[in-house]
Structure formats: structure tokens, C-alpha cells
Amino acid sequence: MRVEARILLLLGAFFGAMCVVYWFWGHEDAGSIMMLGGTLLGFLPGTYYYYWSRRMTPRPEDRSDATLEEGAGVIATFPGSSIFPFLLGMGAFLSVLSMVFGVWLAIPGVGLILWALLGATAESRRGGVH
Amino acid sequence: MTDLLEPSSLSADSHGHSDADHNSASPHDGAHHEHHGATGILNWLTSTDHKVIGMSYTITSVAMLVIGGAFAMVIRAQLVAPNNHLVNFSQYNELFTMHGSVMIYLFAGPFAFGALANFIVPIQIGAPDMAFPRLNALSYWLYLTGSITMLLGFFTAGGAANFGWVAYAPLSDIINSPGAGADLWIGALLLTGFSAIFTGVNLTATIFYLRAPGMTLFRMPIFTWNLLVTGILILLAFPVLTAGLIMLFCDRHFQTHIYTQHLGGVPVLWQHIFWFWGHPEVYILALPFFGMVTEIIPVFSKKPVFGYKGMVFATLTIAALSLGVWAHHMFTTGVVLLPFFSIMSLLIAVPTGIKIFNWIGTMWRGQIWFSTAMLMSIGFVVTFLIGGLTGIYLASPPLDFFAHDTYFVVAHFHSVVMALVLGGMAGLYYWAPKMTGYLLNERIGKFQFWLLFIGTQLLTFPQYVLGLQGMPRRIAQYILDPGWQTLNIWSSVGGFMIGFSTLLFVVNLWVSWKKYPAGDNPWDAHTLEWYTTSPPPHHNFYRLPQIRSERPTWDANHPDSKALVHGHNEDGAGH
């Protein structure tokens, strides 16, 4: 986890340095703000990972001498299959088309999005389909 | 770690259990659960398996390559003769806009980080799936519907978008581009933009959290490394484009005047926002293809990759610099800081040069097997070098002022993107056996390579000369000049060769269909995806080898490690 944190922090630091140089050299607002956004994107997750990397023992995937046995046990749960990503995608599709072909298309579009969000949440609590 | 992942039905067990022999870890319990899901079209609609999604991405993006290529064929046919009337001006504008848009937004990007990455990255790190499988499925549906949305423009009264793939303001405002095609183009990019952002999240989380024990970051295959950096770049760049598109839509329909010339708007702001996404996007496109050839060249040279850490740091350096180069596309606007962007752009040549040096170093004194995948990879290196070197010219403001908006620029980026097509084809020939269980026909593949490689150079070389002679880009007709016509004919012949080579690939898929069984590891390759079956089972592995280097499959298959060593002869003696 420490290497992951360092990568993000180094990228953030480089973007930050670039942002400072650009602002004082060019006095241009849009680019400076966007580079500041890039700096934050490096630092926000980077500091989070760095904070935790100092408080946890290295994970088996962080250690070059780790054996497969050390990673034994359930590592995660994965949904076998789900219709809700498809429904959410179709809802987003209709909503975007409503911007062009008529607001009425947003009614089924938003309806599908809500159905999919509620369904996916319920599926997560229930356990879904194998 | 469970709390980081989507809670749902199937628990995937970790990477093997205790076993006396560490080189053959015990069966993967997650894979032991046979997957009794839906079949047929319902399986396709509901699957959250990264392999099914990766395959869907592959088929859709190759279909987009064919569609975008068909537009290019019409463009090249139009330019065969001066004052040609195959298509009218308006149709030509739609064609070059949709050619660029389909190729960049719907083929190159999704193929790079959606198709092969989706299929291969989790397997390369020993993971059972992507970190967020349902989000992954949503990414695909947003990509597919985004693609349909963009192409729907051709069926509207005003035709498809026709303001170029960059949609510069004020050309893209409601007065200059009033049709529904423009709004569909914006809507399509909103859908595919969110698709890309979700994929970026998924790739990063998967690589950070789902690696097998012993798979440290500096043991990951370079392909996976490059996709990690691509994921981070996606998260940096795509939200900016999405925000810019929403503002463009508001300008067009809600009179917000953000990019207009009056009421306080700033048209050049669109260029800043677009290229702040657009130049990192070049690396978002390129890095996955760099990764593909970095997997292929060592395997077919029978050597480890030369300069592994150098490759990783070069990738990270490219990512770091990529955020500070956007305005080299805007030199001629007269309002950008020329020295800053010129220096930053020139600096990118250094890590890219390191990569090219390392690819050559990997081949150096290797036992090279000129398979189709290897030929395509070498073709990639040569073509990308040409594109990269001409990019150095364009990073210099005085030269850019001269060549801007001419065919020199068109030739430069077609050298770059056609190199990516060569790299992508290399990836398909290399990984198709893993994805389908069957090899592609090598004879047809090699014929396809020569057509594609020669066609690419024939397409671009005349365009470099045309650009220096002053031929502007994006013109439907050109002056009656014998020199220009000859060069355009050669360029069109190259374009048609590329088109034919793509058809040949489709023919190869048909001819090779379930004909040449591949086995688990037909190339004697190095990385984890070649340790499992072809195609891999649900949740990818029945068992995993112990991971002790960046080449775990090679280590398992060659315990005495007969690899060629850099700087040594075949027998291992130094020289």
C-alpha cells in the first residue's frame, strides 16, 4: 500500500509544482485551476493511502516473500450476474436522447435509472443471482 | 477487504490454500463453484464477468474500427482527384468529423482500456474479477449506448455532427451548428465519458486491491502497470471533458454564454478544457498499446523485458508530464505560454525514447520468433517512432506556426494512431488464443501485417510532403496541382490498403473460427494469464503458481530458468 501511496503523492507533488510555475509564469486561470484539480486528485487518495499504509501491516500482495497460503480465505464477494447495470445504462441512454428528441423520453429514462438503483441496492442486501 | 467490494452473491476465494508444493498451489475454491447463470442473450445482458464484458468491448470496438474506417475510405476516395464531387462539402464535413470521433472516442479508447484491459488485467494479477463487476458492466452499456447515440446523428434531418472531432467554439454553438447531430455528439460523449471514468475507477481499484499474494507492484506485468497509469490519467482528464461538454450544451440551449464571443464568454476556454482532456487522452490511448507490445516483444524474443523499472518510470513520467502539455495544440491562438508548453512537450520525448530503447534492447540478441503478433509489434515501434519524431517538430512553436492545420499534422497523428492500430492488432493476435481458446491463422495474419504496415507508410508519407507544400487539412476539394494530385493518389492507395487489411482480419476471424486449438500457453509466455486455461474458467484460476518474479508462469514452467540474459550469450557466458 505504501508504494501505491507514494505514486499518487509524487504525481500530486509534480502537478502541484507544475501548477505553481505555470501560474506565476503565465497568469492563466483555466489551466492553473485544472492543474490544481490534478494536484488534489493526487493528494486526496494519496494521503488516505499513506495514512493507512503507516497503520497496517503490509498485505500479502505488498510483500515479495508472501506465500499463496497467506492470501487464503474469502477475499471479496462478487455478483454472479445482474440485470441492473443494463437497465441503468438504458435509463441513461433514454435520458441523453431526451435532451435531443423530447423531454418525454426522460420519464422512462429516469424511471429506469431509479428502478436500477433501487434494484441494485436491494440485490446487494439480498445476495443477487448466482 | 470485503468491505471495499460490492457485496453480493458469489464469494470468490483467495489465491489458493496451503499446499506442500508451493509451485502448484491448491485449487481455487471460487472457481470450483460452477457458474450456473443465464445463457444466450440474457447471459450477455446480465453478465458481470470481466471476460464477457471484455469480449463485448472487443467486438463493439472492432466494429467501430470498421465503421470509422469506412468513413476514411470515402474521404480518401474524395481526395483522389482535385475538385472531386463524390460527396458534397456538407457531407465531407460530417465524414471527417465522424471519422475522427468514431476512431478516437469509440474505437481507440474503449479498445485500449475497455477491451483487452478488461479481459487481461485481472488475470495478469491473479484476481478473480474486476473490483466492481456491476460498475464494469455499466461501463460497457454506457459505451454501447454512447456509440449508438453518436451514430444516430446520420439519421437526423441535419445530418451528423460536422464541426470536427474537437468541436471548437464558436463553430459548435447553436448558430453555426444548429442540428440535432451536434447535440447527439455531445450526449454520446457524456455517456462514453462516464463509461471511461467508471473504467478508470475499476482498473485502479482492481490493481490496488486484488493482486495475488507476492504480486507486488514491481512484479506486475508492464501491461498492467500501464493500465494502472491509464486509469489514473482517465480520472484526471475525463471529468474535465464531461464538465466542458455540459457547459457547451448549456451554451447551445440555455444561453449561458460561456464559450461565446459576447456577454463575457471566452471561446478559447473551450480549447483549454478540450485539450486539457485531449492531450492526456493521447497517452490514455497510447499507454495500453505500449503495454501490449511490451508483453509481446519479450515473449517472442525469449528474453525478459529489458529495463523493467525503466519502463515503469518512463510510463509514470509520461503521465506526470502529460498534464502540462495541452496548449501545444493551441500555439497559433496567440494566447498561450509558448516556452512552457514547448519545453514540457519536448521533455516527453525522453521517457518515450527510453521505451523505444528498451524495446530494441529486449530484442537485442534474442531468439526472435517473427509471429504475426511480433511483426505487428515491430511495425508499431517503427511507425510510432516516425509519429513521435514528427511530434518533436510540432512541439517547436516556429515549426508549428508553419505546419499548423496542414496535412503535416494529419500525417503526424495518423503515424501515431496507426502505430496504435498495429499495436492493437498485435494484442489481438497475441491474446485471442487466451480469449477464445483458438489461434488465428498466421499466414493470413502476416499478409495482413504487410498490407497494414506498408499501407500506413504509404498513407502518411505523402501527407507529410503535402503538408509542407501547404495543403490545409479538412478540405473537401483542393486546387488543380499535378503534384498534389499524385501525392493524394498515393496516400489514398495507402488508405485502401489499410482498409483491405482490416477486412482481412475479419476474414481471418472467420477462417480460423474454432480451427486451431491453442492450449493454455501457445507462446511459452511469461505472465499469469498464460498459467490458466484458454479461455479461463469463471473467476479465472483453478490454481496459481507461487509468485516470485515478474514472470511467474515462466518460473513455473521453467524451474531451471533457461531464459536468455541481457548482455550474455545463449549459453549464459558473458562476452
Side-chain angles (χ1 to χ4, degrees):
Chain A
M1 190 57 81
R2 195 160 291 183
V3 183
E4 287 91 331
R6 281 181 186 158
I7 289 170
L8 289 168
L9 289 174
L10 280 173
L11 282 175
F14 185 83
F15 296 152
M18 222 164 36
C19 176
V20 170
V21 171
Y22 182 66
W23 169 247
F24 282 104
W25 194 358
H27 306 290
E28 193 269 309
D29 297 338
S32 303
I33 292 292
M34 288 188 287
M35 281 206 267
L36 183 65
T39 309
L40 291 176
L41 196 130
F43 275 115
L44 288 176
T47 47
Y48 171 82
Y49 286 129
Y50 186 72
Y51 176 86
W52 281 109
S53 71
R54 288 173 62 85
R55 283 163 181 76
M56 58 192 264
T57 52
R59 303 169 302 167
E61 56 265 45
D62 296 329
R63 290 183 14 243
S64 58
D65 61 344
T67 60
L68 293 169
E69 292 80 355
E70 292 179 66
V74 174
I75 55 160
T77 51
F78 296 95
S81 59
S82 173
I83 191 67
F84 297 112
F86 172 72
L87 296 181
L88 192 52
M90 291 307 119
F93 182 39
L94 290 177
S95 302
V96 162
L97 291 186
S98 77
M99 299 180 346
V100 182
F101 295 121
V103 182
W104 61 271
L105 272 170
I107 298 168
V110 173
L112 274 174
I113 290 173
L114 288 175
W115 180 20
L117 288 176
L118 291 172
T121 310
E123 183 182 62
S124 296
R125 296 171 67 89
R126 195 174 61 242
V129 184
H130 276 260
Chain B
M1 281 182 56
T2 316
D3 57 334
L4 292 162
L5 297 153
E6 292 180 62
S8 190
S9 63
L10 191 59
S11 296
D13 198 356
S14 65
H15 315 281
H17 292 279
S18 65
D19 192 309
D21 178 9
H22 286 189
N23 283 328
S24 62
S26 67
H28 188 293
D29 281 3
H32 265 210
H33 298 294
E34 278 305 318
H35 184 58
H36 300 295
T39 53
I41 191 152
L42 197 60
N43 176 43
W44 181 58
L45 294 181
T46 61
S47 180
T48 54
D49 184 339
H50 72 102
K51 297 183 288 296
V52 176
I53 297 167
M55 194 64 101
S56 304
Y57 259 111
T58 307
I59 294 167
T60 311
S61 56
V62 170
M64 291 301 146
L65 172 70
V66 173
I67 293 170
F71 298 154
M73 296 302 102
V74 183
I75 290 171
R76 285 315 320 170
Q78 165 77 7
L79 295 174
V80 160
N83 302 319
N84 203 356
H85 290 283
L86 181 67
V87 291
N88 62 36
F89 286 2
S90 173
Q91 289 167 331
Y92 189 83
N93 289 349
E94 287 176 42
L95 279 170
F96 74 68
T97 299
M98 294 303 280
H99 166 68
S101 300
V102 168
M103 288 301 201
I104 297 286
Y105 303 115
L106 307 184
F107 161 65
F111 181 84
F113 53 74
L116 292 182
N118 227 319
F119 199 102
I120 300 299
V121 164
I123 314 181
Q124 281 198 329
I125 57 171
D129 204 321
M130 291 285 257
F132 307 114
R134 289 184 296 183
L135 191 67
N136 198 20
L138 175 62
S139 290
Y140 173 70
W141 294 117
L142 293 179
Y143 161 54
L144 181 68
T145 52
S147 304
I148 294 168
T149 304
M150 190 183 285
L151 294 171
L152 273 179
F154 281 110
F155 303 100
T156 59
N162 61 1
F163 39 46
W165 75 280
V166 293
Y168 274 4
L171 184 59
S172 54
D173 68 18
I174 194 72
I175 298 164
N176 292 307
S177 302
D183 290 319
L184 286 168
W185 185 90
I186 294 170
L189 294 201
L190 288 176
L191 289 168
T192 56
F194 277 108
S195 162
I197 292 166
F198 296 154
T199 302
V201 168
N202 233 328
L203 283 170
T204 312
T206 305
I207 296 169
F208 276 6
Y209 285 105
L210 287 182
R211 302 194 306 276
M215 179 62 81
T216 60
L217 277 185
F218 279 92
R219 279 183 183 163
M220 291 195 313
I222 296 286
F223 180 67
T224 296
W225 254 114
N226 283 20
L227 263 302
L228 170 63
V229 177
T230 301
I232 294 170
L233 277 180
I234 287 173
L235 297 179
L236 282 165
F238 269 84
V240 176
L241 176 70
T242 305
L245 287 164
I246 291 169
M247 290 192 278
L248 180 61
F249 189 81
C250 289
D251 260 16
R252 287 173 60 84
H253 296 286
F254 305 124
Q255 290 79 47
T256 49
H257 299 291
I258 295 165
Y259 307 124
T260 56
Q261 284 158 306
H262 56 289
L263 295 172
V266 185
V268 83
L269 176 63
W270 167 260
Q271 292 192 39
H272 275 295
I273 289 174
F274 183 85
W275 289 116
F276 192 85
W277 161 82
H279 208 82
E281 165 73 357
V282 172
Y283 302 106
I284 290 167
L285 299 184
L287 288 177
F289 295 98
F290 286 2
M292 289 174 206
V293 299
T294 313
E295 295 299 306
I296 292 164
I297 289 175
V299 168
F300 293 100
S301 305
K302 286 252 178 274
K303 282 173 67 182
V305 66
F306 179 82
Y308 174 92
K309 284 193 175 169
M311 283 293 211
V312 173
F313 286 118
T315 304
L316 287 168
T317 310
I318 289 173
L321 291 169
S322 73
L323 215 64
V325 297
W326 76 90
H328 68 211
H329 296 271
M330 302 163 56
F331 282 162
T332 54
T333 59
V335 293
V336 297
L337 191 58
L338 297 179
F340 179 87
F341 291 106
S342 181
I343 292 166
M344 299 300 280
S345 306
L346 290 169
L347 276 177
I348 286 200
V350 177
T352 314
I354 290 172
K355 279 179 178 285
I356 287 178
F357 178 78
N358 285 0
W359 288 321
I360 296 169
T362 306
M363 284 186 270
W364 190 257
R365 289 180 179 273
Q367 289 175 354
I368 296 180
W369 172 8
F370 288 104
S371 66
T372 305
M374 184 64 168
L375 285 172
M376 293 280 187
S377 299
I378 296 170
F380 161 88
V381 175
V382 172
T383 312
F384 194 83
L385 186 61
I386 296 167
L389 288 174
T390 50
I392 292 175
Y393 290 17
L394 293 171
S396 166
L399 293 174
D400 185 75
F401 293 154
F402 179 69
H404 189 81
D405 263 347
T406 70
Y407 257 86
F408 189 89
V409 177
V410 177
H412 155 68
F413 70 71
H414 277 87
S415 287
V416 172
V417 291
M418 286 311 299
L420 304 187
V421 172
L422 281 155
M425 283 293 165
L428 283 173
Y429 275 89
Y430 179 64
W431 277 307
K434 183 52 62 183
M435 296 167 85
T436 64
Y438 294 92
L439 294 152
L440 290 168
N441 185 300
E442 281 285 303
R443 190 184 294 263
I444 299 175
K446 284 174 184 168
F447 187 44
Q448 182 200 344
F449 163 73
W450 287 111
L451 268 176
L452 181 56
F453 181 72
I454 296 171
T456 296
Q457 316 313 333
L458 208 51
L459 174 84
T460 53
F461 273 45
Q463 292 182 356
Y464 285 116
V465 181
L466 279 167
L468 293 176
Q469 289 181 355
M471 180 168 167
R473 63 192 289 197
R474 293 177 177 144
I475 53 166
Q477 294 179 345
Y478 53 89
I479 53 170
L480 187 57
D481 180 317
W484 281 22
Q485 183 174 12
T486 307
L487 287 166
N488 270 301
I489 288 172
W490 279 114
S491 186
S492 293
V493 169
F496 296 139
M497 284 172 74
I498 294 168
F500 186 61
S501 81
T502 311
L503 284 182
L504 217 54
F505 176 70
V506 178
V507 169
N508 198 351
L509 289 176
W510 182 61
V511 167
S512 310
W513 187 248
K514 297 199 170 179
K515 208 168 182 181
Y516 314 108
D520 292 351
N521 189 0
W523 316 120
D524 197 14
H526 307 163
T527 43
L528 272 185
E529 75 272 29
W530 302 102
Y531 193 79
T532 187
T533 55
S534 304
H538 193 61
H539 286 170
N540 299 339
F541 293 97
Y542 291 111
R543 61 198 178 96
L544 275 170
Q546 206 68 268
I547 297 156
R548 285 291 171 266
S549 76
E550 71 267 22
R551 304 196 305 159
T553 300
W554 175 275
D555 294 342
N557 292 340
H558 302 269
D560 50 346
S561 200
K562 284 273 172 55
L564 295 182
V565 181
H566 301 302
H568 287 70
N569 291 327
E570 198 178 330
D571 58 4
H575 59 91

